[in-house]
Every structure is written in C-alpha cells, then in structure tokens.
Amino acid sequence: MLFEDPKTTHPPDIVGGRLCLDLANTLPHEEKGSDRIADYPQFLTWTAETGITTVAEAEALRRRAEADPRACEVALNSAREVRKWICNLFGAIADGGEPDPQDLNALNEALRVVRVRAELAPARVDGYEWRWRETEGNLLRPLWPVVLSAAELLASDELPSIRRCDSDRCRWLFVDRSRNGSRRWCDMRVCGNRAKVRRHYTRKKADHANADR
C-alpha cells in the first residue's frame, strides 16, 4: 500500500464547508469520478488534504496499517460506515426531509467513543482547539474529528443551510454561506461551468433543429 503525499498529487477541491460533509463527498459520482477512499492509504491522503493529519502523521499511520492488515481493514470499514451515515443524515436534511433515527443513533454511538478521547487545549495561534488522547498508532484517530464535526454541524445554526450540488451528476453536499443563500453548485468552476456548457450545447442544438424546419 502506498500513501500519496497530497503535495505531490492533485487533491480534489474541499468544498463542503464542514469536515463531515467533505468526507461524504468522497463517494463516487458521475461528475467527480471514483471512490476517493477506496483503500486506507487513500483515506490517509484525504486526511492530509483536509488537515486532519500532517503528512508525517499520515505516513506513520500508513506504516502502522501495513504492519497490521486486520486493523487496517477495520479502520477502512469504519471510515466507510461513518461516511454512510453522514451521507444519510445530512443528505436527508439537504433534501428537506427528516434523518433516519438509526443514523442519528450511529452518530451518538460514535460520539460516545470520541468524547472520552477529546480534550480542549490552547491552539497554536489563538484560542482553543480539540486535541486527542491515546492517539499514537490508532488507525481510527483520523475519524474522530469527522465525528465531532458531524455532531457540531447537527447542533449548529447552519443546519438549514446544508445544500446539495444542483448537478444531477454530482450531488455533493455543502454549507451555503452565500450572502443571499442562493449557492447552487458545490464548485462554480467545476459543476457550474459544466452546467453552463451543457445548457449552451442544448440551446445550440435546438437552434439548429429550428433552423432546419
């Protein structure tokens, strides 16, 4: 297994606005390509891209995963399971519905695990930040900030601002922080521009069809 340093690759845009939504957006989509956490090293690449781990921390976890394939499999399955209920929870909210209680229960169960390892400590610059106890060699550690992010988002005033990308080929989740709450695309440079191109092509095709009548 090879961990890819995000400094030497081309990381995907991180557009969700919350860590938990960025994990949800690693799912395969027609517009965005294949599963971005198809294996544990890819998951570590994502954690380095999002700042959950440093490159050095991710590389140390990769070596630990390589030495313990069983723990690696458990950690990858856990990451996919967390992603699944995050997608279900916030996808339902973005679609104007109510989350399944089972997904909320899954969040609460994960949160109970995280709480015993989380503590507040002075940040490197100003204020305070979450730190994690008992982290050395724990392949599940990168998931803890994601679980905390999901809990914080669910209890925040940003809940009504969760949206899905308007592109049917994408449907990524994001927090709409635009001034008038009118953001339609996960990324205007990608899905927004592609939608413009498709609309332009459709109009041109219709104009040609009308001209031939």
Side-chain angles (χ1 to χ4, degrees), residues 17-38:
R18 292 274 188 154
L19 196 55
C20 57
L21 300 186
D22 286 325
L23 179 64
N25 293 342
T26 63
L27 275 170
H29 290 281
E30 182 180 353
E31 194 79 87
K32 299 292 174 53
S34 59
D35 190 340
R36 294 169 190 265
I37 59 169

Side-chain angles (χ1 to χ4, degrees), residues 7-189:
K7 295 177 183 177
T8 61
T9 58
H10 300 284
D13 289 332
I14 305 298
V15 299
R18 292 274 188 154
L19 196 55
C20 57
L21 300 186
D22 286 325
L23 179 64
N25 293 342
T26 63
L27 275 170
H29 290 281
E30 182 180 353
E31 194 79 87
K32 299 292 174 53
S34 59
D35 190 340
R36 294 169 190 265
I37 59 169
D39 54 34
Y40 190 73
Q42 285 188 3
F43 174 61
L44 291 177
T45 297
W46 177 82
T47 68
E49 289 166 358
T50 55
I52 292 175
T53 61
T54 65
V55 171
E57 288 169 341
E59 176 57 25
L61 287 170
R62 182 203 64 80
R63 291 193 299 269
R64 173 76 176 85
E66 197 169 53
D68 191 343
R70 175 57 184 159
C72 177
E73 181 183 2
V74 169
L76 179 61
N77 288 339
S78 296
R80 289 173 173 167
E81 184 63 26
V82 169
R83 179 175 67 176
K84 178 183 176 181
W85 54 250
I86 285 174
C87 287
N88 291 344
L89 271 172
F90 297 109
I93 291 167
D95 295 337
E98 290 291 330
D100 190 315
Q102 289 187 346
D103 295 311
L104 182 58
N105 289 340
L107 170 55
N108 278 321
E109 288 178 10
L111 194 58
R112 280 191 284 271
V113 173
V114 169
R115 279 175 174 160
V116 300
R117 292 176 169 86
E119 62 184 7
L120 285 169
R124 292 181 179 86
V125 183
D126 295 311
Y128 293 83
E129 64 184 8
W130 290 108
R131 300 278 178 84
W132 307 99
R133 298 190 294 270
E134 305 170 24
T135 63
E136 187 174 354
N138 193 324
L139 301 185
L140 293 172
R141 203 287 287 175
L143 277 175
W144 300 343
V146 178
V147 171
L148 190 59
S149 167
E152 289 175 341
L153 177 56
L154 198 62
S156 77
D157 57 6
E158 287 193 317
L159 201 61
S161 300
I162 298 173
R163 305 278 187 270
R164 281 194 190 273
C165 181
D166 255 10
S167 172
D168 291 336
R169 301 181 183 183
C170 174
R171 308 300 283 162
W172 273 12
L173 295 165
F174 60 87
V175 177
D176 181 4
R177 297 190 178 112
S178 62
R179 183 173 299 177
N180 56 0
S182 61
R183 179 178 165 188
R184 296 178 57 195
W185 315 105
C186 66
D187 191 334
M188 185 63 201
R189 297 169 299 171

